[in-house]
Amino acid sequence: MNVDAAGIGELWDRLTGTQPDPPWWLVLLTGIAALGAVVHGPTWRVARNVVTIAHEGGHALAAVLTGRRLDGIKLHSDTSGVTVSRGKPDGPGMVFTALAGYITPPLLGLAFAVLLSRGRITLMLWVSLALLAGMLVMIRNAYGALAVAATGLLIFLVSWLGTAEAQAAFAYLATLFLLLAGLRPVIELQRMRARQMAPSSDADQLAHLTGVPGLVWVGLFAFVSLAALLAGGKLLLPDAASLPGFLRP
């Protein structure tokens, strides 16, 4: 009993405690790596799976919060995905469900940036685990289950076995990737819309539901992504005092 209580207390302290800020060079390196994952085509095709998980998770969460019945989520190897929910085919619930997809990855990155800026590195990793666990039970295909489970396992191993530096590097890399990756899917969406290759896109569904042109919704997706990037980036910038002399303003 005492051992169990001590173990639970230690785990709680680990989750809710603060960790030291990483050195400036680690933040810089993770930022460069995250940017490379977004702009380098072959890497992006793999890393985009993370964005798809967040995107479909956003649809699912919005559906549940607005009272719709969530039937399931499928993720595909081409980094596409679909979330199926039941309820009224129109109205605010359907609008918020359609809206949530593209704005969830950058907003999730911003939420993680807030935690990291307060030294809650371990908590950020375990919040990610909790979100993935909640999503896993709604996955309805093998590839999707594998993608979510593998992502969760990687986060667990880093958070449980990794050193403080490894946890910080992983947490900053994941957060900066979500912040930087928010804009690229929006740009890709508009390119496909311009070629009339995405007639059922989230933006076009929103246009059908609200009467507001799809391009306006694409603009909103881009605005949210850019605003989250700027706000999150500001939160994660190292303090001037931690920078070497030649980098200080």
Side-chain angles (χ1 to χ4, degrees):
M1 294 280 295
N2 292 335
V3 172
D4 290 343
I8 293 172
E10 182 181 352
L11 177 61
W12 179 255
D13 290 341
R14 186 173 179 178
L15 291 179
T16 60
T18 59
Q19 291 78 42
D21 292 335
W24 67 269
W25 56 264
L26 187 145
V27 177
L28 177 62
L29 288 178
T30 55
I32 293 172
L35 181 61
V38 173
V39 300
H40 182 246
T43 305
W44 171 248
R45 283 191 286 275
V46 176
R48 199 183 195 282
N49 283 283
V50 176
V51 179
T52 303
I53 291 172
H55 180 112
E56 299 303 331
H59 282 314
L61 181 60
V64 171
L65 292 179
T66 56
R68 297 180 62 80
R69 180 178 176 180
L70 183 61
D71 283 346
I73 304 166
K74 290 184 178 180
L75 307 173
H76 304 296
S77 58
D78 63 355
T79 71
S80 65
V82 61
T83 299
V84 179
S85 63
R86 281 191 255 175
K88 288 181 60 178
D90 53 19
M94 191 63 201
V95 171
F96 283 116
T97 300
L99 174 63
Y102 279 96
I103 66 174
T104 293
L107 290 181
L108 185 61
L110 178 58
F112 287 166
V114 171
L115 290 176
L116 295 182
S117 71
R118 297 177 181 178
R120 310 284 183 173
I121 295 173
T122 303
L123 180 60
M124 173 258 158
L125 294 173
W126 279 69
V127 167
S128 304
L129 276 176
L131 293 173
L132 288 169
M135 187 174 178
L136 183 60
V137 299
M138 296 308 302
I139 295 292
R140 295 293 181 264
N141 68 324
Y143 179 83
L146 178 63
V148 173
T151 304
L153 178 61
L154 177 60
I155 295 173
F156 174 77
L157 291 175
V158 170
S159 66
W160 196 253
L161 302 177
T163 64
E165 291 78 10
Q167 288 188 30
F170 187 88
Y172 272 73
L173 176 62
T175 300
L176 287 165
F177 174 75
L178 286 171
L179 290 170
L180 289 164
L183 275 174
R184 179 158 179 171
V186 179
I187 295 170
E188 292 173 346
L189 168 65
Q190 185 52 33
R191 285 177 178 170
M192 292 182 68
R193 293 183 70 249
R195 298 170 185 170
Q196 299 184 341
M197 295 173 61
S200 301
S201 71
D202 292 353
D204 292 288
Q205 290 184 44
L206 286 163
H208 174 73
L209 290 165
T210 64
V212 177
L215 186 59
V216 175
W217 292 108
V218 174
L220 177 62
F221 299 158
F223 173 79
V224 172
S225 297
L226 184 58
L229 173 59
L230 294 175
K234 184 177 180 180
L235 287 170
L236 297 180
L237 281 176
D239 293 333
S242 68
L243 297 174
F246 68 92
L247 288 179
R248 293 178 188 175

